[in-house]
Structures are given as structure tokens and as C-alpha cells.
Amino acid sequence: MENVAIFDSPGKGRGLKASKEFWAGDVIFSEPSIAAVVFDSLAERICHSCFRTQDKLQRCGQCKFAHYCDRTCQRAGWAEHKQECASIKSYGKVPNENIRLVARILWRLDKEGSMMSDMQIVTLEELEDHISDMQEDELKDFKVDIHNYLDYWPRTSKQHTIDDISHIFGVINCNGFTVSDQKGLQAVGVGLFPNLCMVNHNCWPNCTVILNHGKIELRSLGKIEEGEELTVSYVDFMNLSEERRRLLKTQYFFDCTCEHCNNHIKDDLKMGGREVDGVKPTEEQVKEATDYCFEMMDKMDKARLNGNYHEVVKISKECLEKTEPVLSDTHIYQLRMWSTLSEVQAYLQYFDDAADYSRKMVEGYMKLYHPNNAALGMAAMRAGVTHWQAGEIEIGHGMVCKAYAILMITHGPLHPITKDLEAMRMQTEMELRMFKQNEYVYHSMREAALKNKPMAMMHEPRSVEEGIKNLFHRKK
């Protein structure tokens, strides 16, 4: 860990600073988890060793709980699962993900001690648990988890004090990192990465974190000077500064004093009205349109959760008919409407509509997000795909190239999704050359190809908040 050093960050406590100069896309450090577990809700759909999403998984013959891609993954995961397997059988049921994670951490601590690798710069004992900051209702759930953990923990394993057990629960409660699937598109589990826990928050950070082949990578988003503090964002910047501060105080127990929160930077864009020929709507008109949009989003979400996607389209279009003339193209409620509509319309194979809404979404994101934000890159990738599906090859190729440029920085060239984007970029570049040579021939060949090989249905839409926007896992 020669690239970083621990220091006292003013107003934040301990943090990490750069020991040398970095440029955009540099990997500052990578780190494997001390332990990681699959979410309870996905236990039968995600491999418990490699965290890949698979249609058919093999179940552990002993505990009947853990699932694996094949015998190779099962053997690879056995060292972590061995004691867990026996404990689940003895306990008679499967404890929740937090209990399973704490148990895995303590088994490893018992076996290897507090410093588990030469790369580790901090022990778990040194990490903050914030138990004293918890609210009464949160403490109640916390105590229930500890009680169930004590029943689950085998009598044959080393016994720990309540204080030590509580500390580990507290650490994962505020420092558990969301583990994604192999493409980084869905949150599938939670793990603990001690070095990452030392990186402080900033709403406009200079670093990002990505899971790549089982390790997290801290990557620089731009030039970082030697001695500069390294920061990541714990919450999505798309929230208003007041909401970000509330989330950070509630979930991570600190008051954010970053420049963007103190000066409410871009809040006016996120709640602004649409200006036409120099004329803006009144504050009352903007508030009325905002309230209506918020109300309709609730109905839209309920319809989406029920799988009623045609109803989602109907609700969204009715809403946008009233709000688009009033709200700016950076209004966060309108952006959410466009995002959902682009995803749903692509799923329903209305690709022209999907492309239009995805383009509006990306244009709004570009005015709000950091130019190298991963969420912007993923949105541009979706827009590139939908424009290609709609036959708009020029815009599609441009969006794919934009996405590729961003994800080369945030994910790196070896990440599976960047490799997919590279293949997509080469494909759209080839089609674009063909299009420029002869539009008629290009469209004729494309139409014939699509008739011979009908396009598969898109994956079912997920919530736009799911998976890639929030770094740290919090028990709900």
C-alpha cells in the first residue's frame, strides 16, 4: 500500500491521502474482501463463491443453502463455507446476511489474526462501529441480530465477548460494501474491505470504487496531487444536498461539509423550471409540476413492481405531457421518469421511444454528474444500445464511444462490462462505416438480418436506484 498513507483529515477523523500523483483511471489500490456473503433474497440465484448470476446452480448437499456454478466454484468456496455449512445444519435454519457475514469474519480472524495480508493497513479493531450513535429502533434490531448470532455460533468455535461481537456488527453496519455480479449491474451481496473503510466521503469525489474479478479497486477520476485526500461518494449525487446530508447523517453518522453541500451546488438545476425564449415558469408552477411528478412516480413504481409495464408507460406519458413544458431537462423527477420509460419501452421493444427518452436522460445527467461518473457511463451505454436497436447508428455509436471512454476510467479495460463495450464499439463503428457508404444498403441489410434473427426480449426493468449507484450496503 505504498500509494496511500493514513492521516488525520480535518473535521473527518482519519482518512487516506495519496503518496504520489495519480491520473484519471489509475488504480490506487485493489483489495480482496475479508469475507463476503450473498444477499438473503438472492441466495438461490447467485453463486456463493464467484457471485455470478446463473440460471442453474448446484446446491450444497449438506446445508441445502449455499449454491454454486459447479464443483470448481464449490471447492473454491469451501474454505469459507465449511464452518458455515456445519453451523447452518446445527442451527436448523439460515440466519440473515449480517449474521452470516459477522460469523465468516470472526472465523477468519480466529484463523489468521487481525492482519490478514501485507496489503492491509488497518485492523478491524481500529475501525469505527458507531454503536453509540444508533437510534433506539436501530439498536433494537441490532440486539436481535446479536442474540440470534449467539444461538448460531457453534460451541466448538472460539467464544468471543459481546463487546467484540457487537463491534464487528457495528463495523459492517456502516462499512459493509455492496458486492455486484460479474457485470457490475446488480447488487448481489455484501462484504467487508478494511482499507476501503478508511476512504472518507465527498459528494464530488476524486475516486470511485468498482468490484473487478473479486477485488475492489479504488480508481482515480482525474488528476490527484501527492498529499491530496482520497475520497469517494457514499450516496448518489443525483439527490439534493439536503437529502444527501440527511442520508449521510442517518446511515453513516456524520454531517457532510463538502463544498457541494455547503453551497447547494446544482440544487437549482435539479429542481429547476424550463426556460423558453428567456421566459421561466413561476416558482408556483414549478412546485405544482414537481408535486404532481412525485405523486405519479409513486404510481409508476407500484405498476413497475407489479410487472404492469404498459401501465407504467401510460402513467409516465400522462405525467410528462403535463410536466415537460414546465420542468427543466435536469429536474431529477423528470430524469427518473425518462430513465424508467427508456428501460420499459426497450423491454417492450418500442425502440424509437426508448432511444428518445434515453437520450434526454443522458443529456440531463451530463449537466449534473461528474464527467467521469460511472452512473453517467452506464446511462450512455444504455442510450447507445437503444439507439442502435432503433436503427439510429450515428447517435448509437457516439453514445457507445462516450460510455466506453467513461468506463475505461471508472472500470478499467479488463472489467467484463468494459470488454462488452469494446466489442459493441467495434460493431457500431463497422456498421457506421457501412451506413456512410450507402444508407439504403445498410438499412436493407439490417432489416434482413433482424427478420432472420428476431431480437430477443430485453431483461425485465429494474429500479434505476438498484445496483450501481450506492457504494455501501446498509441493512434496511
Side-chain angles (χ1 to χ4, degrees):
M1 293 293 287
E2 67 279 359
N3 290 343
V4 301
I6 298 175
F7 80 117
D8 289 324
S9 178
K12 297 181 181 180
R14 293 183 306 163
L16 292 186
K17 64 179 179 180
S19 298
K20 67 175 190 178
E21 186 179 81
F22 293 101
W23 293 87
D26 284 347
V27 177
I28 298 169
F29 67 78
S30 65
E31 177 186 20
S33 68
I34 284 180
V37 296
V38 174
F39 287 148
D40 299 336
S41 59
L42 299 174
E44 296 181 3
R45 289 184 279 157
I46 304 294
C47 176
H48 289 219
S49 177
C50 70
F51 291 89
R52 288 177 180 270
T53 305
Q54 298 283 7
D55 292 331
K56 292 182 180 180
L57 294 170
Q58 297 178 9
R59 187 171 64 172
C60 173
Q62 297 296 313
C63 67
K64 312 295 184 186
F65 167 68
H67 288 70
Y68 301 97
C69 298
D70 48 33
R71 289 194 179 276
T72 302
C73 275
Q74 189 167 10
R75 282 193 293 268
W78 181 242
E80 276 198 293
H81 180 58
K82 182 179 179 180
Q83 289 166 296
E84 176 185 73
C85 184
S87 296
I88 289 173
K89 285 173 63 181
S90 175
Y91 189 45
K93 57 184 177 181
V94 180
N96 69 38
E97 61 213 30
N98 279 18
I99 294 172
R100 288 187 285 115
L101 181 56
V102 168
R104 283 192 170 201
I105 291 169
L106 286 171
W107 277 317
R108 188 164 180 195
L109 279 171
D110 292 344
K111 182 180 178 182
E112 301 179 34
S114 57
M115 296 299 283
M116 300 173 197
S117 77
D118 294 337
M119 297 291 290
Q120 193 176 328
I121 60 175
V122 63
T123 66
L124 299 195
E125 291 81 8
E126 295 175 280
L127 297 176
E128 293 284 349
D129 58 33
H130 291 289
I131 294 173
S132 60
D133 297 314
M134 290 183 183
Q135 299 297 316
E136 189 174 338
D137 58 339
E138 195 170 15
L139 273 173
K140 185 178 178 181
D141 292 338
F142 189 78
K143 290 174 181 176
V144 169
D145 272 352
I146 293 175
H147 174 79
N148 291 333
Y149 167 86
L150 292 171
D151 288 340
Y152 170 67
W153 185 256
R155 299 291 175 262
T156 53
S157 293
K158 178 183 175 181
Q159 300 303 301
H160 299 271
T161 67
I162 293 294
D163 285 346
D164 287 345
I165 296 166
S166 299
H167 175 70
I168 301 298
F169 269 103
V171 167
I172 67 164
N173 193 48
C174 55
N175 288 296
F177 180 81
T178 297
V179 176
S180 60
D181 62 4
Q182 71 272 26
K183 292 293 181 69
L185 297 177
Q186 182 186 12
V188 298
V190 58
L192 185 64
F193 301 80
N195 293 345
L196 178 62
C197 296
M198 298 299 296
V199 183
N200 285 320
H201 163 84
N202 192 297
C203 291
W204 199 260
N206 56 16
C207 298
T208 189
V209 183
I210 194 70
L211 190 78
N212 193 2
H213 295 95
K215 293 183 178 182
I216 62 98
E217 293 178 344
L218 184 72
R219 306 179 68 92
S220 56
L221 292 176
K223 186 180 179 183
I224 298 175
E225 302 285 355
E226 181 179 346
E228 187 178 342
E229 180 171 13
L230 304 171
T231 58
V232 294
S233 182
Y234 296 178
V235 294
D236 185 15
F237 182 70
M238 199 57 68
N239 293 309
L240 295 170
S241 55
E242 184 180 343
E243 176 64 7
R244 294 198 307 273
R245 277 180 158 167
R246 186 191 68 78
L247 289 169
L248 291 165
K249 184 67 172 177
T250 303
Q251 298 181 3
Y252 307 105
F253 311 106
F254 69 86
D255 296 305
C256 185
T257 57
C258 77
E259 180 187 5
H260 280 71
C261 279
N262 283 343
N263 298 325
H264 306 285
I265 295 174
K266 301 199 177 186
D267 280 3
D268 56 336
L269 295 177
K270 295 174 187 177
M271 282 284 151
R274 182 182 181 187
E275 184 175 333
V276 180
D277 297 328
V279 179
K280 291 184 177 180
T282 65
E283 287 186 13
E284 187 178 335
Q285 287 174 319
V286 172
K287 184 181 183 306
E288 185 179 333
T290 298
D291 291 345
Y292 177 71
C293 203
F294 183 80
E295 178 187 334
M296 297 300 278
M297 280 195 307
D298 185 55
K299 293 181 179 179
M300 177 187 72
D301 287 342
K302 287 177 181 175
R304 180 185 57 79
L305 288 171
N306 291 330
N308 192 348
Y309 299 122
H310 289 285
E311 183 66 16
V312 171
V313 173
K314 180 174 177 290
I315 291 168
S316 302
K317 287 193 170 184
E318 283 179 5
C319 178
L320 289 173
E321 190 177 337
K322 292 184 179 181
T323 59
E324 275 188 331
V326 180
L327 302 181
S328 71
D329 62 355
T330 53
H331 194 289
I332 53 177
Y333 292 172
Q334 191 145 268
L335 286 171
R336 186 173 164 192
M337 281 280 183
W338 288 336
S339 176
T340 301
L341 259 178
S342 69
E343 199 172 3
V344 170
Q345 291 289 63
Y347 175 69
L348 297 174
Q349 298 198 353
Y350 295 112
F351 297 124
D352 289 338
D353 269 4
D356 184 44
Y357 293 124
S358 67
R359 179 184 50 77
K360 290 179 178 179
M361 175 185 66
V362 171
E363 289 172 353
Y365 279 12
M366 287 172 63
K367 296 175 184 177
L368 297 177
Y369 276 127
H370 185 288
N372 289 333
N373 187 286
L376 173 58
M378 300 297 282
M381 181 178 71
R382 190 207 299 179
V385 171
T386 53
H387 278 86
W388 176 84
Q389 290 167 327
E392 297 181 34
I393 186 62
E394 289 182 290
I395 299 176
H397 178 66
M399 288 288 187
V400 167
C401 288
K402 179 170 186 59
Y404 183 70
I406 295 172
L407 265 62
M408 279 289 286
I409 291 170
T410 60
H411 290 61
L414 301 180
H415 195 279
I417 202 162
T418 315
K419 289 182 176 180
D420 284 353
L421 258 178
E422 167 67 1
M424 202 183 303
R425 186 180 67 82
M426 293 173 67
Q427 171 72 19
T428 55
E429 185 177 346
M430 179 191 70
E431 290 191 21
L432 182 59
R433 282 200 301 268
M434 189 187 301
F435 173 80
K436 287 182 175 179
Q437 288 170 1
N438 192 315
E439 287 187 39
Y440 176 76
V441 171
Y442 166 75
H443 284 296
S444 298
M445 290 179 65
R446 175 185 171 85
E447 188 174 344
L450 292 177
K451 281 182 180 178
N452 292 332
K453 188 178 179 181
M455 197 167 291
M457 291 288 280
M458 300 291 287
H459 292 298
E460 285 203 56
R462 297 191 187 101
S463 166
V464 293
E465 279 71 38
E466 195 173 302
I468 61 169
K469 288 192 173 181
N470 295 319
L471 282 180
F472 293 97
H473 167 71
R474 286 279 292 171
K475 183 181 174 184
K476 301 302 180 188

